[in-house]
Amino acid sequence: MSAAPIEIRIGAELVSAPYLLDAAAAQSYHDGIEQPLRRRPPRGIHDDKDAARKAGFVAPIAGGAQTIAIVAQFLADNFGMRFVRGGRIEVSLTRPVLFGDTLTSHAKIISIDTDANRTELQIHVDNQRGEQVLIGTAAMRMKDA
């Protein structure tokens, strides 16, 4: 995990390459998280069409943890150990993500505290329709410790 140097300045913005969350990507993530032998969840809105429709969705939706993992990976890819060691994210999931959605992560540096060696970012993830599916903040070290 080696991140290219990112200029840490207020207003700096980063945008990820689009990420297609197709059924295969969602299934791989789901199996790794939810399907170990010790944990077999009941079918629900993430893998059952009828359950999803009963809950008001047009189709099964991706798990929120997968959307969070996508933005966390984006931050780790761009900020490396400055984010991985001591970074944090606080997010709200604002819309469901359907299998087949293309997600783009965004980050904007909104504050810098040189005394505390911390910077704060505004983050969000959009789908291909321009709808925000995740909003929040992230914080990380300005320099590796």
Side-chain angles (χ1 to χ4, degrees), residues 78-143:
N78 282 282
F79 297 105
M81 298 311 285
R82 292 179 288 178
F83 176 72
V84 173
R85 291 186 182 153
R88 67 148 177 87
I89 59 174
E90 294 182 23
V91 300
S92 294
L93 299 165
T94 56
R95 288 187 172 277
V97 173
L98 301 173
F99 302 137
D101 278 355
T102 299
L103 304 178
T104 305
S105 298
H106 302 260
K108 180 179 181 178
I109 297 174
I110 57 173
S111 71
I112 296 172
D113 184 342
T114 53
D115 293 333
N117 188 32
R118 300 288 287 175
T119 186
E120 187 163 338
L121 302 96
Q122 181 178 21
I123 58 175
H124 69 274
V125 176
D126 297 337
N127 64 20
Q128 72 278 8
R129 293 176 294 281
E131 302 165 330
Q132 289 186 344
V133 299
L134 175 150
I135 59 172
T137 60
M140 63 175 188
R141 295 176 178 164
M142 291 177 54
K143 300 176 198 163

Side-chain angles (χ1 to χ4, degrees), residues 7 64 73 121:
E7 182 183 2
Q73 185 66 56
L121 302 96

Side-chain angles (χ1 to χ4, degrees), residues 8-9 18 22 46 57 68 79-80 96 98 125 130:
I8 304 296
R9 64 173 172 75
D22 60 6
H46 302 297
F57 301 110
I68 295 167
F79 297 105
L98 301 173
V125 176

Side-chain angles (χ1 to χ4, degrees), residues 19-92:
Y19 176 88
L20 175 62
L21 200 161
D22 60 6
Q27 189 64 47
S28 293
Y29 181 85
H30 179 268
D31 290 350
I33 297 298
E34 299 291 342
Q35 293 300 327
L37 293 177
R38 69 185 182 285
R39 218 169 120 183
R40 298 264 183 202
R43 296 183 61 81
I45 62 172
H46 302 297
D47 58 2
D48 183 272
K49 290 178 185 177
D50 292 332
R53 285 193 183 112
K54 284 180 187 175
F57 301 110
V58 296
I61 62 172
Q66 188 163 15
T67 305
I68 295 167
I70 291 166
V71 76
Q73 185 66 56
F74 164 68
L75 294 170
D77 288 347
N78 282 282
F79 297 105
M81 298 311 285
R82 292 179 288 178
F83 176 72
V84 173
R85 291 186 182 153
R88 67 148 177 87
I89 59 174
E90 294 182 23
V91 300
S92 294

